[in-house]
Amino acid sequence: MSNNFQIPDENTKNYGVLLNKTDDLQIIELPVPKPAQGEVQLQVKACGICGSDIHLWKYGEIGIFPVTKPQLLGHEAAGVVTAVGEGVTNLKVGDRVAIEAGIPCSNCSQCMAGRYHLCPDVVFKSTPPYDGLLSKYCTHPARWVHKMPDNVSYEQGALLEPLSVAISALERCGVTFGRSLLITGAGPIGLLTLAVAKATGVSPIIITDVQPSRLEYAKQMGADYTYQVDPKKPDTEVAREIRALTKNNEGAEYTLECTGIESSFRAAIMATRDAGVCCLVGVGKNDQSLPVNNFAMREVDIKGLFRYHHTYPRAISLMASGKLDVDHLITHKFDLMEAINAFKTAADYSTGAIKVQITTN
């Protein structure tokens, strides 16, 4: 696979995509960063636009994280090592790598227990107040970049971050081979979750969305049933109609709510089988009204998901195996200098965009 890259010199220009404030994106020139001890310098070759990036741009916050100062966006990235800092021995210039965006402290009780994604001091790129990875050159701790085999492209490498969320979501809810799964929301995370679930023998799989084009896409990817949500219908009726797609109208054994929308979460809970599991994957409002008696009296377990941990090596192996066909989810590519158009495309349903990526040469 081609591995063209540019080692920067004193004349090299570096550019990044800066969220200056709500609804104000700018492409700015940046210094080329030098790697500190334990870090590598990277040329970012591909970076996906996540729904959280769009939300930060449009609303100035994501979940519990408000934008407090100008920051670079982007956290779904892959690139090539262009310099190594002191003490780095496991990587060299020219290595093709995927970048794991979270940098935990590695010392707290959560890190020591292996749950480094829950580290209270984690620095997660592009989550306020930290700069993201959407620039031509950046630095990152060598510990948190992962070598990619030659048959995994940079574009696929940038998909590993949302793929990690999908892997974690399936593991968090505990769904296994031959068990029924409901996925609410056919966005990039929902579709990647569908792909991993299919690859691991989960069946049958139901997926919902408000957009018929997304549902048709999901059907082509192997969803057993699709359901178009009518936002005007009460969530109780939506849940009843989803349950009608399951054996004996019992509901899905496992449910992954991938939108974060309150009405969708409510319907997801009610469409989950008695003694089943419903896991919230999407990020929505901080405070939501939930049908507490409905899940409590049916012993439905409600779980939450926050990012991922220990997924990258497995995600890379899965991508390299060829058993996961997800390249088609990358519907649009833009050069870094066209990043503003890339964000507009990603934010506009009418474009048919699923995953928009920004690339550099």
Side-chain angles (χ1 to χ4, degrees):
M1 180 167 290
S2 173
N3 192 23
N4 296 325
F5 62 96
Q6 179 186 358
I7 295 176
D9 57 31
E10 63 274 7
N11 299 314
T12 301
K13 302 282 190 184
N14 188 25
Y15 297 95
V17 181
L18 183 81
L19 176 62
N20 189 45
K21 59 180 188 291
T22 304
D23 220 19
D24 182 7
L25 273 184
Q26 301 174 7
I27 298 173
I28 62 166
E29 187 172 345
L30 301 162
V32 176
K34 291 188 169 20
Q37 183 173 356
E39 290 186 339
V40 290
Q41 180 192 72
L42 302 159
Q43 181 183 349
V44 177
K45 299 293 283 186
C47 186
I49 297 176
C50 175
S52 63
D53 293 316
I54 300 294
H55 214 270
L56 288 168
W57 170 38
K58 291 295 185 182
Y59 301 102
E61 62 180 13
I62 182 68
I64 61 172
F65 302 103
V67 175
T68 56
K69 63 184 180 65
Q71 65 170 86
L72 300 177
L73 293 179
H75 58 266
E76 302 176 0
V80 58
V81 176
T82 49
V84 298
E86 182 184 345
V88 175
T89 57
N90 62 322
L91 293 164
K92 64 183 186 304
V93 171
D95 280 346
R96 302 168 62 260
V97 297
I99 307 168
E100 186 167 350
I103 308 166
C105 78
S106 300
N107 293 312
C108 68
S109 60
Q110 294 291 355
C111 284
M112 295 303 288
R115 297 182 294 263
Y116 63 80
H117 62 307
L118 298 180
C119 170
D121 297 316
V122 66
V123 172
F124 197 90
K125 297 298 181 79
S126 85
T127 295
Y130 305 111
D131 280 328
L133 300 169
L134 197 36
S135 57
K136 184 166 184 178
Y137 293 98
C138 69
T139 55
H140 204 74
R143 170 67 184 83
W144 300 105
V145 301
H146 304 270
K147 287 185 189 178
M148 301 190 302
D150 289 344
N151 68 332
V152 175
S153 68
Y154 291 118
E155 291 81 4
Q156 290 173 325
L159 277 180
L160 292 169
E161 201 278 341
L163 179 59
S164 286
V165 175
I167 291 170
S168 280
L170 290 163
E171 292 187 335
R172 180 81 173 120
C173 79
V175 63
T176 55
F177 177 89
R179 300 293 188 176
S180 59
L181 175 67
L182 167 64
I183 301 169
T184 54
I189 296 297
L191 292 174
L192 281 165
T193 302
L194 166 63
V196 179
K198 288 292 291 185
T200 51
V202 176
S203 178
I205 302 171
I206 305 167
I207 192 164
T208 72
D209 205 274
V210 295
Q211 300 285 334
S213 60
R214 288 282 177 95
L215 293 176
E216 181 56 36
Y217 206 98
K219 196 75 172 173
Q220 292 172 12
M221 288 180 64
D224 298 290
Y225 303 98
T226 60
Y227 175 84
Q228 184 178 351
V229 176
D230 180 352
K232 295 177 183 175
K233 283 185 179 179
D235 44 35
T236 50
E237 187 176 346
V238 170
R240 186 168 57 250
E241 292 179 354
I242 294 172
R243 291 176 80 99
L245 300 174
T246 67
K247 183 180 179 181
N248 299 326
N249 298 333
E250 288 178 339
E253 294 171 271
Y254 299 89
T255 298
L256 292 171
E257 205 306 296
C258 296
T259 72
I261 296 169
E262 182 175 327
S263 59
S264 184
F265 192 18
R266 291 175 58 87
I269 290 170
M270 291 184 281
T272 303
R273 182 182 298 189
D274 294 9
V277 178
C278 181
C279 180
L280 179 61
V281 180
V283 179
K285 294 189 304 183
N286 288 337
D287 298 306
Q288 301 188 23
S289 174
L290 300 179
V292 175
N293 284 339
N294 179 280
F295 70 74
M297 294 180 178
R298 297 189 302 112
E299 294 195 357
V300 173
D301 290 346
I302 306 298
K303 294 188 175 185
L305 178 79
F306 189 56
R307 297 172 182 155
Y308 44 81
H309 63 103
H310 299 101
T311 52
Y312 263 77
R314 287 178 294 149
I316 289 169
S317 295
L318 184 59
M319 192 74 83
S321 72
K323 295 177 182 175
L324 196 72
D325 177 20
V326 291
D327 291 18
H328 52 84
L329 294 176
I330 305 169
T331 53
H332 297 74
K333 295 180 191 177
F334 290 83
D335 182 81
L336 179 61
M337 303 310 287
E338 290 293 319
I340 308 301
N341 286 336
F343 272 80
K344 289 177 180 177
T345 300
D348 184 354
Y349 271 120
S350 70
T351 63
I354 296 177
K355 179 56 66 178
V356 178
Q357 288 189 348
I358 294 169
T359 60
T360 70
N361 296 314

